């Protein structure tokens, strides 16, 4: 008889965004004259940079002629795309090798798929609150998850402590949903912990392009020793508006080895290559061609215009909370503003309060973990005029 992977039954129902949609639809149906402003989404809204669009058109043309047509490509990505990632890292002062780079269809797939490489008995350390994919993919594989509390007291950047046990450590910096980022010194502590305890850090840098303060590294490889204990995931989704176009990259350094039960040193890069060549047939040539153009200096310059737009929205929201003395995190090195609900309100109650009284939609922090129960996420990914109007309404509502 067929047996299922019953770990799937342990997954919590993910009802966050459907519940939000449901409540907003009900409200709009009952109040058709009210204009609802949505600042809850984690998706980009600006069109792709001009350089990206030009490259997409060119790559489509390549596919029209037999001498430039492309069929199956290398599973790890075309060298021209891997090279563009190497050069992008170089522009941030980080040296990586072409062989370290795996072109992916986004950070979501790879942060989930990487779990294929690990045995069932690892202790997996995951911050709470955080992007839910880390927890769900490890739950699907039946692993032991230990949560580390991220809260107001530790600035939403939990640190290693005496007696902490972990084999796999997830770090997301700047974090979704809190917007909090780890400083260089803090990340050094995590790298030292991982090296000392033979643990592996899975570093999600999906929002690195929002960093402007030099104390926050864009990549974990800015930290000495990280090449021996960390895998990094990144993506063009938020950097360049590729959420629908789909392209990312994962860095598995060639000098990252793990000792197997029989004492052999196993290369994680070789294992990931084996996994990808078996289960993945690469990102479309057209997309990789556009991604490489996007990561060129001219492409990145154009991406920065969109990022500056989102960041100025985030700043407008953050400035309002600052003025009102409301505790908030993020908003400067992140598109997210994570703030404490007023008067000790629970995040879903605050969601209803904000919708009913200001017609502004955000994301209740409870959807990202128990430490989000009294917090709320707004994003800078909306339209500027709508953001200004939403902030004026919030300013009036929250005395
Ligand atoms: C922290 C984090 N990692 C990864 C992703 C997924 O990115 P991608 O679009 O590259 O799959 C997201 C998307 O919101 C995210 O917030």
């Amino acid at each position: 008889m067929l047996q299922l992977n019953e770990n799937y039954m342990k997954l919590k129902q993910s009802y966050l965004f459907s519940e939000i949609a449901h409540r907003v639809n009900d409200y709009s149906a009952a109040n058709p004259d009210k204009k609802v402003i949505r600042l809850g989404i984690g998706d980009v809204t600006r069109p792709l940079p001009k350089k990206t669009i030009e490259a997409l058109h060119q790559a489509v043309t390549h596919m029209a002629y037999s001498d430039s047509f492309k069929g199956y490509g290398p599973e790890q990505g075309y060298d021209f795309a891997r090279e563009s990632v190497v050069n992008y890292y170089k522009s941030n002062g980080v040296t990586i090798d072409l062989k370290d780079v795996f072109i992916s269809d986004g950070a979501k797939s790879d942060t989930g798929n990487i779990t294929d490489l690990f045995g069932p008995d690892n202790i997996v350390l995951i911050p709470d609150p955080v992007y839910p994919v880390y927890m769900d993919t490890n739950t699907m594989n039946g692993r032991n998850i230990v949560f580390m509390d991220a809260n107001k007291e530790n600035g939403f950047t939990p640190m290693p402590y005496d007696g902490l046990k972990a084999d796999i450590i997830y770090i997301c910096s700047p974090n979704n949903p809190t917007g909090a980022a780890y400083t260089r010194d803090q990340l050094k502590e995590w790298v030292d912990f991982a090296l000392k305890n033979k643990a592996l850090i899975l570093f999600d840098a999906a929002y690195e392009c929002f960093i402007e303060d030099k104390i926050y590294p864009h990549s974990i490889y800015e930290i000495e020793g990280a090449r021996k204990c960390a895998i990094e995931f990144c993506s063009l989704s938020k950097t360049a508006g590729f959420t629908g176009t789909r392209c990312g990259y994962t860095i598995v350094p060639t000098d990252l080895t793990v000792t197997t039960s029989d004492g052999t040193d196993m290369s994680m890069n070789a294992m990931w290559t084996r996994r990808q060549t078996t289960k993945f047939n690469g990102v479309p040539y057209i997309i990789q061609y556009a991604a490489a153009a996007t990561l060129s200096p001219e492409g990145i310059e154009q991406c920065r215009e969109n990022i500056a737009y989102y960041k100025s929205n985030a700043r407008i929201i953050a400035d309002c909370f600052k003025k009102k003395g409301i505790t908030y995190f993020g908003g400067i090195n992140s598109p997210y503003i994570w703030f404490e609900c007023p008067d000790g309100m629970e995040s879903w109650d605050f969601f209803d309060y904000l919708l009913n009284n200001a017609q502004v939609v955000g994301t209740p922090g409870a959807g990202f973990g128990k430490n989000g129960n009294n917090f709320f996420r707004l994003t800078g990914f909306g339209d500027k005029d709508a953001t200004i109007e939403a902030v004026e309404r919030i300013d009036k509502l929250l005395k």
Side-chain angles (χ1 to χ4, degrees), residues 106-108 131 134 172 176 204 206-207 235 237-238 246:
K108 186 184 205 175
Y131 183 53
Y134 318 146
C172 177
N176 176 17
D204 188 340
Y207 297 94
S235 149
S237 281
K238 309 296 156 84
R246 311 302 309 145

mmCIF file of all heavy atoms in Angstrom, residues 106-108 131 134 172 176 204 206-207 235 237-238 246, ligand 1:
data_model
loop_
_atom_site.group_PDB
_atom_site.id
_atom_site.type_symbol
_atom_site.label_atom_id
_atom_site.label_comp_id
_atom_site.label_asym_id
_atom_site.label_seq_id
_atom_site.Cartn_x
_atom_site.Cartn_y
_atom_site.Cartn_z
ATOM 1 N N GLY A 106 15.479 30.987 -8.337
ATOM 2 C CA GLY A 106 15.080 31.848 -7.216
ATOM 3 C C GLY A 106 15.514 31.267 -5.892
ATOM 4 O O GLY A 106 15.829 30.072 -5.786
ATOM 5 N N ALA A 107 15.493 32.117 -4.884
ATOM 6 C CA ALA A 107 15.984 31.705 -3.569
ATOM 7 C C ALA A 107 15.009 30.762 -2.863
ATOM 8 O O ALA A 107 15.413 29.968 -2.020
ATOM 9 C CB ALA A 107 16.248 32.944 -2.714
ATOM 10 N N LYS A 108 13.724 30.851 -3.223
ATOM 11 C CA LYS A 108 12.753 29.987 -2.542
ATOM 12 C C LYS A 108 13.065 28.514 -2.821
ATOM 13 O O LYS A 108 13.163 27.695 -1.905
ATOM 14 C CB LYS A 108 11.335 30.311 -2.996
ATOM 15 C CG LYS A 108 10.272 29.563 -2.223
ATOM 16 C CD LYS A 108 8.900 29.867 -2.793
ATOM 17 C CE LYS A 108 7.825 29.662 -1.757
ATOM 18 N NZ LYS A 108 6.503 30.068 -2.256
ATOM 19 N N TYR A 131 10.927 34.188 7.375
ATOM 20 C CA TYR A 131 10.377 33.644 6.131
ATOM 21 C C TYR A 131 9.991 32.169 6.368
ATOM 22 O O TYR A 131 10.845 31.351 6.747
ATOM 23 C CB TYR A 131 11.495 33.756 5.103
ATOM 24 C CG TYR A 131 11.200 33.327 3.693
ATOM 25 C CD1 TYR A 131 10.114 33.836 2.994
ATOM 26 C CD2 TYR A 131 12.067 32.452 3.043
ATOM 27 C CE1 TYR A 131 9.892 33.457 1.690
ATOM 28 C CE2 TYR A 131 11.854 32.073 1.733
ATOM 29 C CZ TYR A 131 10.757 32.580 1.060
ATOM 30 O OH TYR A 131 10.539 32.203 -0.237
ATOM 31 N N TYR A 134 11.791 28.076 5.513
ATOM 32 C CA TYR A 134 12.816 27.282 6.220
ATOM 33 C C TYR A 134 12.144 26.250 7.128
ATOM 34 O O TYR A 134 12.552 25.093 7.183
ATOM 35 C CB TYR A 134 13.741 28.145 7.084
ATOM 36 C CG TYR A 134 14.214 29.448 6.492
ATOM 37 C CD1 TYR A 134 14.424 30.563 7.301
ATOM 38 C CD2 TYR A 134 14.469 29.583 5.136
ATOM 39 C CE1 TYR A 134 14.876 31.761 6.786
ATOM 40 C CE2 TYR A 134 14.915 30.785 4.607
ATOM 41 C CZ TYR A 134 15.112 31.879 5.435
ATOM 42 O OH TYR A 134 15.544 33.064 4.923
ATOM 43 N N CYS A 172 18.713 35.051 8.039
ATOM 44 C CA CYS A 172 18.156 35.859 6.953
ATOM 45 C C CYS A 172 18.462 37.313 7.298
ATOM 46 O O CYS A 172 17.940 37.831 8.277
ATOM 47 C CB CYS A 172 16.650 35.612 6.872
ATOM 48 S SG CYS A 172 15.802 36.608 5.645
ATOM 49 N N ASN A 176 13.284 39.115 6.537
ATOM 50 C CA ASN A 176 11.857 39.189 6.245
ATOM 51 C C ASN A 176 11.178 38.396 7.368
ATOM 52 O O ASN A 176 11.493 37.216 7.526
ATOM 53 C CB ASN A 176 11.542 38.537 4.898
ATOM 54 C CG ASN A 176 10.057 38.507 4.613
ATOM 55 O OD1 ASN A 176 9.281 39.211 5.234
ATOM 56 N ND2 ASN A 176 9.662 37.676 3.657
ATOM 57 N N ASP A 204 20.513 33.591 3.955
ATOM 58 C CA ASP A 204 19.587 34.100 2.934
ATOM 59 C C ASP A 204 19.804 35.606 2.795
ATOM 60 O O ASP A 204 19.481 36.380 3.699
ATOM 61 C CB ASP A 204 18.144 33.776 3.368
ATOM 62 C CG ASP A 204 17.128 34.098 2.285
ATOM 63 O OD1 ASP A 204 17.441 34.895 1.383
ATOM 64 O OD2 ASP A 204 16.000 33.554 2.363
ATOM 65 N N ALA A 206 18.502 37.529 0.355
ATOM 66 C CA ALA A 206 17.550 37.983 -0.678
ATOM 67 C C ALA A 206 17.336 39.500 -0.686
ATOM 68 O O ALA A 206 16.964 40.071 -1.709
ATOM 69 C CB ALA A 206 16.205 37.271 -0.496
ATOM 70 N N TYR A 207 17.597 40.149 0.460
ATOM 71 C CA TYR A 207 17.357 41.607 0.539
ATOM 72 C C TYR A 207 18.646 42.405 0.653
ATOM 73 O O TYR A 207 18.621 43.559 1.073
ATOM 74 C CB TYR A 207 16.420 41.914 1.724
ATOM 75 C CG TYR A 207 15.060 41.285 1.533
ATOM 76 C CD1 TYR A 207 14.764 40.042 2.073
ATOM 77 C CD2 TYR A 207 14.090 41.910 0.767
ATOM 78 C CE1 TYR A 207 13.537 39.435 1.865
ATOM 79 C CE2 TYR A 207 12.861 41.322 0.542
ATOM 80 C CZ TYR A 207 12.587 40.083 1.093
ATOM 81 O OH TYR A 207 11.372 39.500 0.874
ATOM 82 N N SER A 235 19.054 36.359 -4.936
ATOM 83 C CA SER A 235 18.086 36.323 -6.013
ATOM 84 C C SER A 235 17.952 37.697 -6.648
ATOM 85 O O SER A 235 18.243 38.714 -6.017
ATOM 86 C CB SER A 235 16.776 35.862 -5.378
ATOM 87 O OG SER A 235 15.673 36.394 -6.009
ATOM 88 N N SER A 237 15.080 38.689 -7.493
ATOM 89 C CA SER A 237 13.668 39.047 -7.270
ATOM 90 C C SER A 237 13.517 40.460 -6.733
ATOM 91 O O SER A 237 12.783 41.266 -7.291
ATOM 92 C CB SER A 237 13.020 38.063 -6.295
ATOM 93 O OG SER A 237 12.694 36.877 -6.977
ATOM 94 N N LYS A 238 14.193 40.743 -5.640
ATOM 95 C CA LYS A 238 14.028 42.054 -5.022
ATOM 96 C C LYS A 238 15.081 43.030 -5.538
ATOM 97 O O LYS A 238 14.839 44.228 -5.607
ATOM 98 C CB LYS A 238 14.087 41.942 -3.486
ATOM 99 C CG LYS A 238 13.148 40.875 -2.906
ATOM 100 C CD LYS A 238 11.668 41.157 -3.137
ATOM 101 C CE LYS A 238 10.793 39.918 -3.104
ATOM 102 N NZ LYS A 238 10.336 39.423 -1.845
ATOM 103 N N ARG A 246 11.987 35.180 -12.507
ATOM 104 C CA ARG A 246 12.610 34.043 -11.832
ATOM 105 C C ARG A 246 14.070 33.795 -12.184
ATOM 106 O O ARG A 246 14.394 33.117 -13.156
ATOM 107 C CB ARG A 246 11.824 32.731 -12.090
ATOM 108 C CG ARG A 246 10.344 32.769 -11.886
ATOM 109 C CD ARG A 246 9.928 33.172 -10.494
ATOM 110 N NE ARG A 246 10.571 32.425 -9.444
ATOM 111 C CZ ARG A 246 10.914 32.970 -8.261
ATOM 112 N NH1 ARG A 246 10.658 34.234 -7.993
ATOM 113 N NH2 ARG A 246 11.494 32.219 -7.361
HETATM 114 C C1 LIG B 1 13.758 35.946 2.895
HETATM 115 C C2 LIG B 1 13.322 35.514 1.547
HETATM 116 N N1 LIG B 1 14.048 34.588 0.916
HETATM 117 C C3 LIG B 1 13.687 34.157 -0.304
HETATM 118 C C4 LIG B 1 12.561 34.657 -0.924
HETATM 119 C C5 LIG B 1 12.154 34.096 -2.253
HETATM 120 O O1 LIG B 1 12.774 34.736 -3.262
HETATM 121 P P1 LIG B 1 12.665 34.235 -4.772
HETATM 122 O O2 LIG B 1 11.656 35.100 -5.420
HETATM 123 O O3 LIG B 1 14.054 34.438 -5.282
HETATM 124 O O4 LIG B 1 12.289 32.806 -4.791
HETATM 125 C C6 LIG B 1 11.785 35.619 -0.301
HETATM 126 C C7 LIG B 1 10.577 36.140 -0.970
HETATM 127 O O5 LIG B 1 9.806 36.898 -0.489
HETATM 128 C C8 LIG B 1 12.171 36.056 0.977
HETATM 129 O O6 LIG B 1 11.450 36.965 1.641
#
